[in-house]
Amino acid sequence: MPLTGHPIVARLTRVMKLSAVDVKSLEAIFERDLSVRKREELIVQGSEFRNLCFVKDGFAIRYRLLRSGKRQILKVILPGDVIGFPVSFFDRSTYAVVAVTELTYAVCSFDSYIRLCYEQPQFGLVLSWLAAQEAATYAEHIVNLGRRTPIERLAHLLLEIHARLLEVERADETSFNLPFSQEVIADVLGLSVPHLNRVIQQLRAEQLITSNSRLIELTDLAGLRKLAQYQPMDLAPIPVPKHRE
Amino acid sequence: MPLTGHPIVARLTRVMKLSAVDVKSLEAIFERDLSVRKREELIVQGSEFRNLCFVKDGFAIRYRLLRSGKRQILKVILPGDVIGFPVSFFDRSTYAVVAVTELTYAVCSFDSYIRLCYEQPQFGLVLSWLAAQEAATYAEHIVNLGRRTPIERLAHLLLEIHARLLEVERADETSFNLPFSQEVIADVLGLSVPHLNRVIQQLRAEQLITSNSRLIELTDLAGLRKLAQYQPMDLAPIPVPKHRE
DNA sequence: TACGCTTATTAACTTAGATCAATGAATAGA
DNA sequence: TCTATTCATTGATCTAAGTTAATAAGCGTA
């Protein structure tokens, strides 16, 4: 499966030199390209899952459903993200993943990836690095839910998604397409839909964003950053031992 | 630095066979054992940090301070945890880590650990696996803050800490020592101190816990699990390729 | 033992945000 | 084009949880 132009390559090359050979080794373990339709479940809560899916295009959400019927979305999954991490390290998934739009991805088995890591250790580090980003994103989400006001939360979420989309060239300088209903965004931010709606209107009223249907325009990036106390995460490149360079 | 009996070894052996040789390679890169006093900062928000600190004993918290003065604690750090992950992958830390009790730890530089990963790929995977656990713990925290009620949150937190302490033999079947003030716990759970206090009393009134000073007794484990909808995370062992076994 | 500081508890008051319910607007199939 | 959902918006009401402030209990140290 050719990976050229795949957004995951764009992400990885930001932290390590991926030689043509590296890309080839990666390609070798990929089984097939798949796609799922909108609303299709990629991972069912409580099931086993031992694959890594590198998202090429489309949007998905990872979430937990509680008995009360409440849903908490843990992460919005964008092109360049990996589905199946960290769940593949566990017995079974305690979360579900569902596609929000049509979604295409390249898939390999967890085992074959692990095998690759033993042969080429840099791929193990890549996995750690992806994990580090995942953990850092989750950490921001915790700060958001725990101690930011609803308007700050929303501003922060928009900035985060914007930055992540920029990284894989799915956004331009100040705007991007976001195919999520308000119900989805409310479940990311731990808010009710009516309240989220009010908060969106506040952001619009303060001229910080404009949005119609699914297009978000960040009218005042600096203002948003200040409101959200947004700090971009600057990744350090993965160190490469001398004798390898 | 001898690692025998170090809680990190207890944690690691739960997912992979650590041979005596492996432990030796780990020991070789550790520089020295350190300790810090209560309230001492291990990582300053905004600073660089390129070390891995394997906690031997004591408690710490990782947190973010907001301009408003609010604090969100991201994680309580227990014996067996690693301080410096994931921050070592980033330019500088956006979080602070401070010791809550006296704390002792073994430290190695991030670079030397990375070097070890290139020589012995299983250590790269160990890092991924620690990261996966970290991410999973954060994910639970997100669910907690976003969609659980305060009493459920507290129950969940106590169960999580209990499970993590059990893993490194710092708790017994139903009780453990927790040297955190209510202010700390409130900042983990995104609550105010007075409200947390009410919630603690609720848990006590419902006979789910008893606690005096710093000793927590989980009087009714099953009841707590049900209340919190707690699901233990069962880790799968790291697969080892055939030709290595 | 006494002092001072930190921590726990309680109460009164206020408010942000949930809930419930209704109405428009938009979109996708038939 | 029409119709059926899904989605966005608004309003009224209610309550959980924050805020502030005061008091009590513990604890460390001189």
Side-chain angles (χ1 to χ4, degrees):
Chain A
M1 286 290 116
L3 290 178
T4 322
H6 194 292
I8 194 75
V9 175
R11 269 188 85 194
L12 294 185
T13 49
R14 296 201 48 189
V15 284
M16 73 183 297
K17 292 184 197 113
L18 268 191
S19 68
V21 177
D22 289 334
V23 176
K24 278 265 180 288
S25 342
L26 209 46
E27 282 175 2
I29 63 168
F30 278 91
E31 288 166 22
R32 52 194 182 279
D33 266 17
L34 292 177
S35 78
V36 293
R37 266 166 303 134
K38 196 172 164 166
R39 278 162 223 265
E40 205 168 315
E41 300 251 341
L42 283 126
I43 300 183
V44 174
Q45 195 166 311
S47 69
E48 283 187 32
F49 196 83
R50 294 267 177 294
N51 291 117
L52 298 177
C53 307
F54 293 75
V55 176
K56 189 176 283 185
D57 248 308
F59 294 76
I61 51 178
R62 170 177 332 203
Y63 65 95
R64 161 75 64 79
L65 218 51
L66 298 178
R67 272 201 309 268
S68 60
K70 286 188 206 296
R71 175 176 73 168
Q72 176 62 46
I73 294 175
L74 295 157
K75 189 186 171 179
V76 303
I77 294 169
L78 311 177
D81 283 330
V82 183
I83 296 173
F85 182 89
V87 37
S88 285
F89 278 97
F90 293 90
D91 236 19
R92 42 193 64 249
S93 178
T94 55
Y95 309 102
V97 174
V98 67
V100 173
T101 63
E102 190 186 17
L103 186 113
T104 62
Y105 59 98
V107 65
C108 76
S109 78
F110 187 60
D111 280 2
S112 65
Y113 190 89
I114 296 293
R115 227 168 298 137
L116 178 63
C117 293
Y118 278 100
E119 274 146 36
Q120 305 197 41
Q122 65 271 32
F123 286 107
L125 287 169
V126 162
L127 197 58
S128 307
W129 173 82
L130 285 171
Q133 257 211 343
E134 182 99 358
T137 306
Y138 281 173
E140 279 307 320
H141 202 163
I142 289 171
V143 175
N144 243 4
L145 292 171
R147 292 300 187 205
R148 280 201 256 255
T149 65
I151 196 171
E152 293 166 355
R153 276 184 225 180
L154 177 57
H156 198 281
L157 178 69
L158 294 177
L159 289 169
E160 181 215 306
I161 293 177
H162 181 236
R164 287 169 58 199
L165 287 175
L166 267 180
E167 202 174 342
V168 292
E169 295 165 326
R170 297 296 200 278
D172 70 24
E173 222 34 66
T174 61
S175 71
F176 56 96
N177 236 67
L178 193 69
F180 294 145
S181 69
Q182 294 187 1
E183 193 186 358
V184 166
I185 298 174
D187 283 347
V188 173
L189 298 179
L191 300 171
S192 66
V193 171
H195 196 64
L196 171 67
N197 186 282
R198 284 167 207 135
V199 170
I200 291 174
Q201 290 176 49
Q202 247 183 293
L203 269 193
R204 286 202 273 242
E206 299 184 19
Q207 317 268 319
L208 293 167
I209 67 166
T210 58
S211 71
N212 53 16
S213 99
R214 298 295 141 102
L215 184 74
I216 311 279
E217 167 107 34
L218 307 178
T219 319
D220 178 0
L221 255 180
L224 281 169
R225 290 219 172 99
K226 189 167 171 215
L227 172 62
Q229 289 185 58
Y230 178 83
Q231 307 181 271
M233 302 190 288
D234 292 316
L235 284 160
I238 297 178
V240 178
K242 291 260 155 48
H243 70 276
R244 302 233 162 204
E245 283 188 296
Chain B
M1 287 291 117
L3 289 177
T4 323
H6 194 293
I8 194 75
V9 174
R11 268 188 84 193
L12 294 184
T13 49
R14 295 200 51 188
V15 286
M16 73 183 296
K17 291 184 198 115
L18 269 191
S19 68
V21 177
D22 289 334
V23 176
K24 278 262 180 288
S25 343
L26 253 187
E27 281 174 2
I29 63 168
F30 278 90
E31 288 166 23
R32 53 195 183 279
D33 266 16
L34 291 179
S35 77
V36 292
R37 266 165 304 135
K38 197 170 164 168
R39 281 164 221 263
E40 207 168 313
E41 299 252 339
L42 282 128
I43 300 183
V44 174
Q45 196 166 311
S47 69
E48 283 188 31
F49 197 83
R50 294 265 178 294
N51 290 116
L52 298 178
C53 306
F54 293 75
V55 177
K56 189 177 283 185
D57 248 307
F59 294 76
I61 51 177
R62 169 175 331 194
Y63 65 94
R64 162 74 64 77
L65 219 51
L66 298 177
R67 270 200 311 269
S68 60
K70 286 188 207 291
R71 174 176 75 167
Q72 177 62 44
I73 294 176
L74 294 157
K75 188 184 171 179
V76 303
I77 295 170
L78 311 177
D81 282 331
V82 183
I83 295 172
F85 181 89
V87 37
S88 285
F89 279 98
F90 293 91
D91 237 18
R92 41 192 63 249
S93 178
T94 56
Y95 309 102
V97 174
V98 67
V100 174
T101 62
E102 190 186 16
L103 187 114
T104 63
Y105 58 98
V107 64
C108 74
S109 79
F110 187 60
D111 280 2
S112 65
Y113 190 91
I114 296 292
R115 227 168 298 138
L116 179 62
C117 293
Y118 278 101
E119 274 146 35
Q120 305 197 40
Q122 65 271 33
F123 287 106
L125 286 170
V126 163
L127 197 59
S128 309
W129 172 81
L130 285 170
Q133 257 210 341
E134 182 99 357
T137 305
Y138 280 173
E140 279 308 319
H141 202 162
I142 290 171
V143 175
N144 242 5
L145 291 171
R147 292 300 188 206
R148 281 200 256 253
T149 65
I151 195 169
E152 294 165 356
R153 275 183 225 180
L154 176 57
H156 198 281
L157 178 68
L158 293 177
L159 289 169
E160 181 216 306
I161 293 178
H162 180 237
R164 286 170 59 200
L165 287 175
L166 266 180
E167 203 173 342
V168 292
E169 295 165 326
R170 295 296 198 281
D172 70 22
E173 221 34 66
T174 60
S175 70
F176 56 96
N177 235 68
L178 193 68
F180 294 146
S181 69
Q182 293 187 4
E183 193 186 357
V184 167
I185 299 174
D187 283 347
V188 173
L189 298 179
L191 299 171
S192 65
V193 172
H195 196 64
L196 171 66
N197 187 281
R198 285 169 213 135
V199 170
I200 291 175
Q201 291 177 48
Q202 246 183 294
L203 270 193
R204 286 202 273 242
E206 299 184 20
Q207 316 269 318
L208 293 167
I209 66 167
T210 58
S211 71
N212 52 16
S213 101
R214 297 296 142 100
L215 183 75
I216 310 278
E217 166 107 35
L218 308 178
T219 320
D220 179 0
L221 255 179
L224 281 169
R225 291 221 172 99
K226 189 168 172 215
L227 172 63
Q229 290 184 58
Y230 179 82
Q231 306 181 271
M233 300 189 289
D234 292 316
L235 285 159
I238 298 178
V240 178
K242 290 264 155 44
H243 70 279
R244 302 230 163 205
E245 286 190 293

